[in-house]
Amino acid sequence: MTERRYFGTDGIRGRVGEGAMTPEFMLKLGWAVGEHLRHTTGRSKVVIGKDTRLSGYLFESALEAGFAAAGIDVLLVGPMPTPAIAYLTSTFRAQVGVVVSASHNPHYDNGIKLFGAEGRKLPDTDELEIEAALESAMHCVAPEAVGRARRIEDAGGRYVEFCKSTFRSPAALHGLRVAVDCGNGATYHVAGDVLRELGASVTELAVKPDGFNINQGCGATDLALLQRTVTEQQLDLGIAFDGDGDRCMMVTRSGQVVDGDQLVYVIATSRKQRKKLRGPVVGTLMSNLGVEQALMEQGIEFIRAKVGDRYVMEQLLTHDGLIGGESSGHVICLDRTSTGDGIVTALQVLAVIMNSGQSLEELIAPIHLYPQLLVNVRLESGDANSVLTAAAVQQAKQTVEAELKDAGRVLLRPSGTEPVIRVMVEGEDGASVKHHAEHIAQAVRDVSAG
């Protein structure tokens, strides 16, 4: 196989009960991953974690049965952030980590992410081999070879201690007043403990998941609750995570949003000042031009990867870099951990604040963001590639690019997780950016409608 049927840019994702999001598919997927492991590494073990969606129980059990049928031992850790599974996979010497999560999506979606033994997402070649195994008939190993399963009761404590170990500052967080919005997701029982144990005064938000309220009016994708709490209670700053805890967004004491691009700038410039930065900083095609310019003014090379934290990681490894990320809040600090981690990201920024004595507002002040607008157009018909290459869409894009010249950017790309085309326009004037983005988006809508 050369093309992936099920895996997108961030694992497999969809609406529960439809497509790949069924118990039958999850049973087969567990078996297929197990078969891949058995033929490449011999008898193996995997770690399975999940976020707080109700459907996590369903898929966790189906995956467990599939792995057992392939002769693979299973360690169950329950609700844990995605980066915690990456860490636990490595620390337990497991061959694969499995996360049952649809990240920032609503509760009615779910998905699967896979990590290798080193705590990094599986490469495309492994995903293709797993998809090939999915096409085979499922069978069970001999009764004496069936995999065992056990639950790890102290997984949360292990991860809390790991996160704390990444906070490298002689000054603890004493005196810092923060609000933490866990999005009713997988960080709900660990993020507050990490910050409190490091000395901060913590106001917790959205830490009562009920299986349905994940990412609902809270978390890294909806910052209104966090902004209101920080400003009304006059706190120093706010931190928000998405449903599976690999994204981090922050707000200043005045309620200003600080996105992943800006967090990358804060972390990278601090590392540079302390002579701890190596290689270029990696962003994506969506990264704001203002952040690129601010980094360059500090003498820091900046390169762009395709959208998706797996592609940021690829570029970091290729260019021997340490720091990279996306505006959505995925930030990778390879000098601290093996994958994007929302809590670790927050701790790196807090360490800069404590070491420098500067506020978050002061740290991001050198960045002059360009107005940027992202319009998500849901497809009514046709596949994304045919819509993107349609003459009308290309003509609209070229018209806008001609008007922007060198003072802006246009990016059209399909979502890796939804039937959506993302239209991004960036320029010097907010009103013209809005006009240009809507012009292209309407061309996409017209072509999709047929």
Side-chain angles (χ1 to χ4, degrees), residues 396-408 432 435-436 439:
K397 178 176 182 285
Q398 291 164 12
T399 299
V400 170
E401 287 176 331
E403 293 188 27
L404 289 172
K405 298 181 180 178
D406 294 329
S432 63
H435 170 75
H436 291 322
H439 175 65

Side-chain angles (χ1 to χ4, degrees), residues 215-258:
N215 302 314
Q216 191 176 81
C218 56
T221 55
D222 190 338
L223 296 168
L225 172 63
L226 183 63
Q227 290 172 297
R228 188 167 61 251
T229 301
V230 170
T231 55
E232 289 179 354
Q233 297 187 20
Q234 298 183 323
L235 304 178
D236 294 310
L237 56 88
I239 304 167
F241 307 113
D242 66 338
D244 74 329
D246 60 359
R247 292 190 190 192
C248 174
M249 299 281 275
M250 301 181 81
V251 302
T252 68
R253 65 183 64 180
S254 64
Q256 177 187 353
V257 172
V258 182

Side-chain angles (χ1 to χ4, degrees), residues 46-68:
V46 301
V47 176
I48 300 179
K50 59 184 179 180
D51 64 22
T52 57
R53 293 162 216 269
L54 183 62
S55 58
Y57 293 101
L58 173 68
F59 297 140
E60 175 189 54
S61 297
L63 286 163
E64 177 190 342
F67 280 116

Side-chain angles (χ1 to χ4, degrees), residues 43 141-146 148:
R43 190 175 178 96
V141 296
E144 61 273 12
V146 168
R148 301 172 183 268

Side-chain angles (χ1 to χ4, degrees), residues 9-264:
T9 56
D10 198 19
I12 303 173
R13 194 174 301 182
R15 191 179 181 96
V16 175
E18 299 178 4
M21 291 298 110
T22 64
E24 296 90 347
F25 182 87
M26 291 299 163
L27 176 69
K28 186 73 176 290
L29 177 64
W31 173 83
V33 176
E35 281 289 288
H36 169 67
L37 287 176
R38 202 157 54 84
H39 289 121
T40 55
T41 65
R43 190 175 178 96
S44 308
K45 63 182 173 183
V46 301
V47 176
I48 300 179
K50 59 184 179 180
D51 64 22
T52 57
R53 293 162 216 269
L54 183 62
S55 58
Y57 293 101
L58 173 68
F59 297 140
E60 175 189 54
S61 297
L63 286 163
E64 177 190 342
F67 280 116
I72 306 300
D73 295 335
V74 177
L75 304 179
L76 300 166
V77 300
M80 289 293 292
T82 288
I85 304 308
Y87 165 70
L88 293 168
T89 299
S90 176
T91 197
F92 279 114
R93 304 293 191 269
Q95 282 64 52
V96 163
V98 185
V99 183
V100 183
S101 174
S103 189
H104 59 281
N105 288 31
H107 76 88
Y108 48 74
D109 290 336
N110 217 327
I112 298 295
K113 301 180 186 183
L114 300 176
F115 290 88
E118 74 289 345
R120 293 180 182 147
K121 290 181 179 177
L122 287 187
D124 292 351
T125 52
D126 283 22
E127 290 181 351
L128 286 170
E129 290 176 10
I130 291 166
E131 291 211 359
L134 282 166
E135 301 302 315
S136 305
M138 182 176 171
H139 58 273
C140 187
V141 296
E144 61 273 12
V146 168
R148 301 172 183 268
R150 65 186 177 98
R151 190 162 294 279
I152 305 300
E153 301 294 344
D154 64 344
R158 288 172 180 256
Y159 179 60
V160 165
E161 291 304 313
F162 164 72
C163 289
K164 288 163 54 182
S165 75
T166 71
F167 180 76
R168 312 281 173 81
S169 170
L173 298 178
H174 297 301
L176 195 69
R177 300 172 65 235
V178 303
V180 179
D181 183 343
C182 294
N184 289 312
T187 61
Y188 79 98
H189 61 317
V190 290
D193 287 347
V194 170
L195 294 167
R196 274 190 296 269
E197 291 180 20
L198 288 171
S201 172
V202 182
T203 298
E204 291 185 311
L205 305 171
V207 290
K208 296 182 178 179
D210 61 10
F212 307 104
N213 59 4
I214 187 170
N215 302 314
Q216 191 176 81
C218 56
T221 55
D222 190 338
L223 296 168
L225 172 63
L226 183 63
Q227 290 172 297
R228 188 167 61 251
T229 301
V230 170
T231 55
E232 289 179 354
Q233 297 187 20
Q234 298 183 323
L235 304 178
D236 294 310
L237 56 88
I239 304 167
F241 307 113
D242 66 338
D244 74 329
D246 60 359
R247 292 190 190 192
C248 174
M249 299 281 275
M250 301 181 81
V251 302
T252 68
R253 65 183 64 180
S254 64
Q256 177 187 353
V257 172
V258 182
D259 68 11
D261 287 345
Q262 295 164 297
L263 298 180
V264 164

